[in-house]
Amino acid sequence: MNPFSNLALKLIQRTLLDEIIKAGRLACKGRCLLMYESHGKKYWGAGHGLAGIMHGLMDMELKPDEVEDVKCTLHFMIRNRFPSGNYPSSEGNESDHLVH
């Protein structure tokens, strides 16, 4: 790969990462350090929710404060799962079904 292409890719990734972290911090409202909203709901699933976003963030080069935000958000998720081990499909949903 061309060194300039690699640099451009890293800059694009960092720009996207900055926006993802910023959006997560804005939507959290004190419940956890990162939260994301889509169509008026705070989804927790892997497809388009918190679990999927956390999975993606764990594969990125994060700054120390971002690492702490991700860790705290994961701890929040673990503390708020159902006794069955499942997670709610969205914030406030008490239905214990598998999240997709």
Side-chain angles (χ1 to χ4, degrees):
M1 180 181 270
N2 176 332
F4 294 110
S5 297
N6 193 25
L7 177 61
L9 180 60
K10 286 191 178 287
L11 288 172
I12 292 168
Q13 286 175 335
R14 185 70 238 177
T15 301
L16 288 171
L17 181 56
D18 288 344
E19 290 301 313
I20 292 167
I21 294 292
K22 184 170 93 175
R25 288 174 176 163
L26 287 173
C28 74
K29 309 249 192 294
R31 299 263 326 195
C32 64
L33 294 176
L34 300 172
M35 183 56 77
Y36 300 89
E37 193 168 308
S38 176
H39 304 289
K41 283 191 168 187
K42 294 176 179 174
Y43 292 103
W44 280 48
H48 54 268
L50 192 56
I53 294 168
M54 291 298 104
H55 183 267
L57 290 176
M58 288 188 293
D59 197 35
M60 302 294 291
E61 289 184 36
L62 301 173
K63 297 174 184 174
D65 63 317
E66 296 167 343
V67 169
E68 287 307 309
D69 286 357
V70 169
K71 283 182 183 179
C72 289
T73 301
L74 292 170
H75 286 270
F76 169 80
M77 292 179 74
I78 291 166
R79 284 191 312 271
N80 288 283
R81 64 184 171 188
F82 294 119
S84 67
N86 291 334
Y87 292 93
S89 61
S90 60
E91 189 76 18
N93 186 333
E94 297 300 319
S95 179
D96 185 357
H97 296 288
L98 293 175
V99 177
H100 64 279

